[in-house]
């Protein structure tokens, strides 16, 4: 693989030279433009960003919701490869890598629980993606990405407490041809994307999108055998078939498959600010040279996942009324293994295998007139998970769980969710320039789990059981927006988000006494804001302030080498955000975005409390954490980006720079374990030939090679386990359209 990758790297340099010789035409979208914007918009000031936060196409400046949006061109300029990279370009976003899952935390709201959905949901072309793989952004057919902040549910099938990430892909009826991209980067990283679209008739078209990414060299080393650690490999394919039967009916059939593997989220590395973890087999501190190093005897340490599915979307128009049906089916399989003794002696391992499938069906009816826009829908969600794990193995298992020598202690379960919801939302112009939005939703969700433990003559008897519980909740949204001038809008809103309760899949006994249901969490969100385009659309200033009442937070914690979930009583989150975009001259755009969060637990009486013994061992107890800051919520975060375009006879050169700052965050509810702040700098130089068919990009991310943790996990007795983020990476990509 290494020799092949070096050959590819040399070939890229040759392609770069040949591409310049055969230059065609400039094709560069201005920063913060919509995917469909063209070069003429540069002369008209800052372009509108078209979003679907309210399930219809609108300018982001007219939506009474805070939204961060990126066109496909902006994704390339910012160096975003997956949705996990959003934390480096969107203030207030943090990620918590956990095996193949990378749930998003937004404005301090989020969870990484197995058994429940993420607080920030992902939709691709309106289809809910339940597995938190966030892989859709890797496909070369992405048209735009938007992140709507705050609770969503009165317009979306699945309810969200933190926000909604929407990914829109290209329509093969709009463009036909082949779009190729090939890249090479440090750590012997080879990447490629392909998008091909063709018309089958005037009313039917099909496309295929694929991606491949292989980081062959690791960020760090396994000191046990000097092998590479923190490598990544992923690939996938997605196809869309679209038929327009007349002007009033459209059918879209989509299928996809992806395969991923890596070690991020399951490696026992030290955090940035602690030089060691605890080696429980030797009962001593284990010092590790860098945050990317581990010392594990088990070559299986890591994770791998497969995911795929299909969706059918039918759209029928009756004049100004639209009927929409979205049916989807998805399957996923994940395996991960952690060498949880922390050291090089074969002593203690934990692994888990999940097989999950999800079916969803949504019916939505919507309409619009001069003064009234509305939508109403029904939504059904079914999920089933077959879980084998945690599986504890190794010699220590006999002492920890009283198993016979050589016998694993195994927890297995089957988890089911049946959810029904009805929702409606309408926006009416009650006065000239003033709109009132009212939305409501009612959710009924039944959770059921059947489980047992095996291997232990002490713990296994009486462990088996079936538990079930039904959760019901009404939600609502109220928003008022007013146009003070054609390009000045103010808004105020209230919305409630709901995440249903569930049963822990990690329990050793499946009964209500030993495994009580996790309570539903809710977020009551109050927000005011203003959106303005000034100076002939050469200056955009958006401001918002918000207050969240967050109750029964579903918190996943690690105690005694196992995972459990508890409810924190309540939290208050106050915050403010600003977005300033300036285009002082035609080819230069400067953007500054910032978020301030004031968070605290208003009630958390039995919060886990962690302390390090002199030996380095981490022990846990419980004390009150009321008035402490919420975990994984930075007080300050800032994003600064600049784009300058130089137009020449051989094409255009886009030079972009991004700076992202995040203040310190806390890994524990008592704020004793700090994840230090960091500043990241990214640079991109992109040449686009005349005609727009050829482009070459030189890029670097994390220019200063900052060592930082996206999050950490407090795992007893091993200590504060780091989840390292990428070091400095740099490379070149070449794109060609035919």
């Amino acid at each position: 693989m290494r020799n092949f990758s070096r050959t590819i790297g040399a070939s890229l340099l040759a392609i770069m030279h040949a591409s310049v010789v055969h230059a065609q035409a400039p094709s560069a979208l201005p920063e913060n433009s919509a995917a469909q914007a063209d070069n003429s918009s540069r002369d008209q000031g800052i372009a509108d960003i078209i979003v679907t936060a309210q399930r219809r196409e609108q300018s982001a400046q007219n939506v009474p919701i805070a939204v961060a949006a990126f066109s496909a061109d902006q994704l390339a300029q910012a160096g975003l490869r997956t949705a996990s990279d959003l934390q480096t370009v969107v203030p207030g976003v943090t990620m918590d890598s956990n095996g193949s899952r990378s749930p998003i935390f937004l404005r301090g709201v989020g969870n990484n629980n197995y058994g429940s959905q993420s607080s920030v949901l992902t939709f691709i072309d309106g289809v809910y993606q339940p597995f938190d793989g966030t892989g859709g952004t890797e496909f070369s057919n992405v048209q735009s990405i938007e992140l709507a902040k705050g609770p969503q549910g009165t317009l979306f099938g699945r309810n969200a407490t933190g926000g909604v990430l929407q990914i829109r892909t290209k329509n093969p009826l709009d463009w036909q041809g082949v779009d190729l991209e090939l890249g090479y980067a440090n750590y012997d990283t080879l990447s490629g994307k392909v998008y091909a679209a063709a018309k089958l008739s005037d009313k039917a078209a099909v496309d295929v999108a694929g991606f491949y990414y292989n980081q062959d060299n690791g960020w760090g080393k396994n000191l046990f055998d000097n092998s590479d650690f923190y490598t990544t490999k992923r690939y996938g394919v997605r196809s869309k078939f679209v038929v327009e039967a007349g002007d009033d009916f459209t059918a879209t059939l989509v299928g996809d498959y992806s395969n991923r593997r890596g070690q991020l989220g399951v490696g026992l590395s030290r955090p940035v600010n602690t030089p060691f973890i605890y080696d429980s087999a030797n009962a001593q501190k284990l010092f590790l040279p860098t945050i990317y190093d581990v010392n594990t005897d088990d070559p299986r340490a890591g994770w791998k996942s497969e995911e795929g599915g299909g969706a059918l979307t039918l759209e029928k128009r009756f004049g100004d009324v639209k009927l929409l049906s979205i049916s989807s089916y998805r399957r996923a399989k994940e395996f991960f293994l952690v060498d949880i003794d922390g050291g090089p002696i074969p002593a203690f391992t934990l692994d888990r295998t999940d097989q999950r499938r999800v079916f969803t069906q949504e019916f939505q009816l919507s309409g619009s007139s001069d003064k009234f826009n509305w939508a109403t829908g029904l939504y059904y969600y079914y999920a089933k998970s077959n879980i084998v794990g945690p599986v504890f193995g190794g010699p220590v298992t006999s002492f920890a769980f009283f198993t016979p020598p050589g016998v694993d202690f195994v927890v297995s379960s089957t988890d089911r969710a049946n959810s029904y919801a009805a929702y409606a939302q309408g926006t009416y112009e009650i006065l000239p320039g003033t709109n009132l939005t009212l939305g409501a939703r009612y959710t009924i969700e039944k959770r059921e789990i059947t489980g047992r433990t095996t291997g232990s003559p002490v713990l296994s008897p009486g462990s088996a059981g079936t538990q079930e519980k039904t959760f019901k909740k009404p939600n609502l949204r109220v928003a008022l927006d007013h146009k003070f001038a054609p390009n000045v809008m103010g808004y105020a809103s209230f919305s409630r988000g709901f995440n249903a309760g569930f049963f822990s899949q990690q329990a050793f006994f499946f009964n209500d006494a030993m495994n009580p249901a996790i309570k539903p969490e809710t977020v009551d969100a109050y927000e005011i804001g203003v959106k303005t385009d000034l100076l002939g659309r050469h200056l955009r200033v958006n401001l918002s302030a918000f207050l969240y009442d967050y109750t029964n937070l579903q918190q996943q914690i690690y105690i005694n080498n196992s995972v459990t979930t508890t409810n924190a009583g309540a939290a208050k989150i106050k915050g403010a955000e600003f977005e300033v975009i300036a285009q002082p001259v035609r080819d230069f755009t400067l953007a500054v975005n910032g978020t301030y969060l004031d968070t605290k637990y208003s009630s958390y009486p039995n919060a886990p409390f962690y302390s390090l013994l002199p030996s380095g061992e981490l022990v846990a107890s419980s004390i009150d954490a009321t008035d402490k800051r919420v975990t994984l919520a930075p007080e300050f975060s800032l994003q600064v980006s600049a784009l300058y375009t130089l137009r020449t006879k051989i094409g255009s050169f886009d030079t972009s720079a991004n700076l992202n700052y995040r203040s310190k965050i806390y890994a524990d509810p008592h704020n004793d374990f700090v994840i230090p702040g960091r500043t990241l700098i990214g640079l991109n130089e992109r040449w686009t030939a005349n005609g727009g068919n050829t482009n070459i990009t030189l890029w670097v991310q994390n220019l200063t090679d900052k060592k930082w943790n996206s999050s950490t996990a407090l795992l007893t007795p091993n200590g504060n386990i780091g989840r390292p983020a990428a070091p400095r990476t740099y490379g070149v990509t070449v794109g060609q359209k035919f």
Side-chain angles (χ1 to χ4, degrees):
M1 178 64 200
R2 287 181 171 84
N3 291 335
F4 176 69
S5 296
R6 292 190 185 100
T7 302
I8 292 296
S11 301
L12 283 174
L13 296 177
I15 294 173
M16 290 170 63
H17 175 73
S19 299
V20 173
V21 172
H22 297 90
Q24 298 295 316
S27 175
L29 291 171
E31 188 75 12
N32 292 289
S33 66
Q36 68 271 30
D38 57 31
N39 286 331
S40 64
S41 65
R42 294 178 183 270
D43 301 320
Q44 301 168 358
I46 301 168
D48 278 335
I49 306 170
I50 303 302
V51 298
T52 56
Q54 298 193 125
R55 298 293 288 265
R56 65 181 189 273
E57 291 193 351
Q58 294 175 277
S59 165
Q61 295 299 99
N62 294 327
V63 177
I65 300 172
V67 181
F70 300 87
S71 69
D73 196 69
Q74 292 170 326
L75 297 175
Q77 289 286 357
L80 270 70
R81 291 187 292 270
T82 71
S84 297
D85 295 328
L86 283 172
Q87 63 183 324
T88 65
V89 294
V90 179
V93 170
T94 56
M95 312 287 288
D96 190 12
S97 299
N98 191 351
S100 64
R101 303 171 68 243
S102 295
I104 300 172
F105 287 66
L106 179 60
R107 291 177 168 179
V109 177
N111 70 65
N112 60 358
N113 302 305
Y114 281 103
S116 73
Q117 67 180 33
S118 173
S119 296
V120 179
L121 305 186
T122 300
F123 292 80
I124 300 180
D125 293 334
V127 180
Y128 174 48
Q129 308 296 302
F131 302 134
D132 290 331
T134 58
T137 51
E138 294 175 283
F139 293 101
S140 58
N141 64 341
V142 170
Q143 177 175 307
S144 64
I145 289 179
E146 61 186 77
L147 182 61
K149 304 176 183 181
Q152 312 290 324
T154 59
L155 273 180
F156 288 87
R158 197 72 175 140
N159 199 17
T161 53
V164 165
L165 174 66
Q166 291 198 80
I167 300 169
R168 292 198 295 168
T169 65
K170 298 174 182 177
N171 186 339
L173 284 169
D174 296 335
W175 183 86
Q176 295 81 46
V178 178
D179 188 354
L180 297 174
E181 181 182 287
L182 190 63
Y184 183 75
N186 59 333
Y187 296 100
D188 201 17
T189 303
L190 179 66
S191 63
K193 294 182 180 180
V194 60
Y195 177 67
K199 274 193 172 183
L200 305 179
S201 69
D202 290 341
K203 298 293 185 178
V206 65
D207 67 14
V208 177
F211 72 89
Y212 176 84
Y213 181 90
N214 188 8
Q215 178 204 318
D216 208 34
N217 289 348
W219 298 340
K221 291 291 184 181
N222 182 358
L223 305 181
F224 177 77
D225 58 7
N226 202 39
S227 61
D228 285 278
F229 207 80
Y230 293 124
T231 62
T232 302
K233 183 176 182 179
R234 52 186 184 259
Y235 56 88
V237 64
R238 176 182 174 91
S239 182
K240 178 190 291 187
F241 174 60
V242 181
V243 177
E244 290 184 350
D247 297 329
D248 57 5
F249 180 78
T250 302
T252 304
L253 180 65
V254 176
D256 69 273
Y257 170 81
S258 62
N259 187 299
R260 296 174 173 82
R261 68 161 177 82
Q263 293 105 10
L264 188 60
V266 297
L268 265 62
S269 295
R270 68 173 179 86
V272 169
N273 49 358
T274 305
F276 62 86
I277 63 171
Y278 181 68
D279 178 355
S280 60
N282 291 303
Q284 64 182 15
K285 295 177 180 179
L286 178 66
F287 290 87
L288 298 167
T290 77
I291 67 170
Y292 308 111
D293 297 323
V294 299
N295 197 337
T296 176
D297 57 272
D298 199 318
R300 299 173 298 163
W303 58 265
K304 55 184 177 182
S305 71
E306 291 182 274
E307 179 180 344
L312 175 64
T313 300
L314 304 175
E315 180 182 313
K316 174 67 175 178
R317 292 188 176 274
F318 304 91
D320 293 330
V321 176
K322 180 176 71 174
L323 176 62
L324 188 68
S325 169
I326 302 176
S327 310
S328 75
Y329 176 77
R330 301 201 63 76
R331 299 190 67 168
K333 182 177 180 179
E334 179 190 15
F335 170 82
F336 71 81
L337 183 139
V338 185
D339 186 8
I340 56 174
D341 57 72
I345 296 177
F348 207 22
T349 61
L350 180 152
D351 67 77
R352 172 176 165 135
T353 301
D354 284 12
Q355 296 189 68
R356 296 174 283 174
R357 63 177 186 264
V358 171
F359 170 77
T360 68
Q361 175 62 55
E362 180 175 7
F363 295 106
Q364 185 186 92
L365 194 66
S366 61
S368 62
S369 63
D370 291 341
K371 292 189 175 184
F372 186 46
N373 293 281
W374 58 273
T376 184
L378 299 173
Y379 185 77
Y380 174 68
Y381 170 87
Y382 172 80
K384 181 179 179 180
S385 301
N386 293 316
I387 307 116
V388 180
V391 177
F392 295 95
V396 173
T397 307
S398 298
F399 299 97
F401 301 106
F402 312 104
T403 60
V407 176
D408 292 344
F409 180 69
V410 181
V411 180
S412 57
S413 63
T414 298
D415 183 62
R416 292 181 177 86
N418 273 284
S419 182
Y420 307 84
Y423 63 87
Q425 181 170 303
T427 300
Y428 185 73
E429 187 179 14
I430 57 176
L431 294 170
T434 302
N435 297 309
L436 175 65
T437 298
L438 297 176
R441 173 193 182 90
Y442 191 78
T443 303
I444 302 173
E445 183 156 329
K446 180 181 178 181
R447 299 299 299 257
E448 178 185 306
I449 191 167
T450 300
R452 61 179 299 187
T453 63
T454 58
S456 171
V458 176
L459 298 177
S460 296
S463 65
T466 296
Q467 300 172 260
E468 60 181 47
K469 191 174 180 65
T470 299
F471 305 92
K472 302 178 181 180
K473 190 73 172 181
N475 290 351
L476 59 96
R477 173 175 172 79
V478 181
L480 189 69
D481 65 84
H482 177 71
K483 283 279 190 178
F484 295 95
N487 292 320
V488 178
M489 184 192 78
Y491 68 91
S493 68
F494 167 80
S495 56
R496 172 173 292 168
F498 164 72
N499 199 353
F502 60 97
F503 294 98
S504 174
Q505 300 169 345
Q506 317 290 327
F508 294 166
F509 294 89
F510 292 89
N511 57 66
D512 291 343
M514 302 296 291
N515 187 32
I518 306 303
K519 297 176 182 178
E521 66 176 16
T522 60
V523 176
D524 286 346
Y526 307 83
E527 182 165 344
I528 59 172
V530 60
K531 299 184 176 184
T532 69
D533 281 323
L534 308 172
L535 304 180
R537 298 181 62 89
H538 289 279
L539 176 65
R540 175 170 294 164
V541 180
N542 295 336
L543 306 171
S544 64
F546 50 89
L547 169 65
Y548 289 175
D549 282 328
Y550 196 2
T551 57
N552 291 327
L553 292 71
Q554 297 169 349
Q555 305 284 283
Q556 181 170 286
I557 59 177
Y558 300 81
I559 294 179
N560 298 326
N561 299 119
S562 189
V563 180
T564 188
T565 302
T566 64
N567 286 110
K572 280 195 178 294
I573 300 174
K574 295 181 285 187
E577 293 180 331
F578 71 89
E579 177 186 32
V580 179
I581 305 171
Q583 194 181 76
V585 295
R586 179 184 182 218
D587 290 317
F588 177 69
T589 303
L590 176 68
V592 183
N593 304 274
T595 299
Y596 166 75
L597 295 175
D598 178 9
T599 69
K600 72 174 182 179
Y601 293 108
S602 51
S603 175
Y604 202 169
N606 295 305
F609 174 74
Y610 301 93
S611 57
L612 284 173
L613 301 181
S615 63
E617 180 181 0
L618 186 73
V619 295
S621 59
S622 298
I623 60 175
D624 198 312
T626 300
D627 291 332
K628 299 293 185 177
R629 286 189 63 87
V630 174
T631 58
L632 299 182
E635 185 174 13
F636 296 102
S637 49
L638 180 72
Q639 170 74 16
V640 181
S641 61
L643 171 66
Y644 176 70
T645 300
L646 175 65
R647 303 170 190 272
T648 72
K649 293 182 179 180
I650 64 169
S652 62
F653 292 83
D654 289 330
T655 302
S656 63
N658 295 278
L659 181 149
N660 184 271
Y661 167 77
R662 187 187 76 187
S663 64
K664 68 182 180 182
I665 55 179
Y666 294 104
D668 70 303
H670 287 278
N671 302 165
D672 295 319
F673 292 85
V674 175
I675 303 173
R678 85 294 185 273
T679 300
L680 305 176
I681 298 174
L683 301 175
N684 287 268
E685 183 65 41
R686 186 183 191 187
W687 168 74
T688 305
N690 292 327
N693 292 327
T694 305
N695 65 78
I696 300 171
T697 303
L698 301 174
W699 59 269
V700 57
Q701 295 292 326
N702 192 1
L703 177 67
T704 61
D705 199 22
K706 179 70 175 178
K707 304 298 186 291
W708 64 288
N709 296 120
S710 58
S711 63
T712 64
L714 290 157
L715 177 64
T716 60
N718 303 98
N720 193 14
I721 304 303
R723 287 172 174 165
R728 178 170 53 228
T729 55
Y730 51 88
V732 56
T733 60
V734 176
Q736 181 66 51
K737 294 180 182 179
F738 302 95

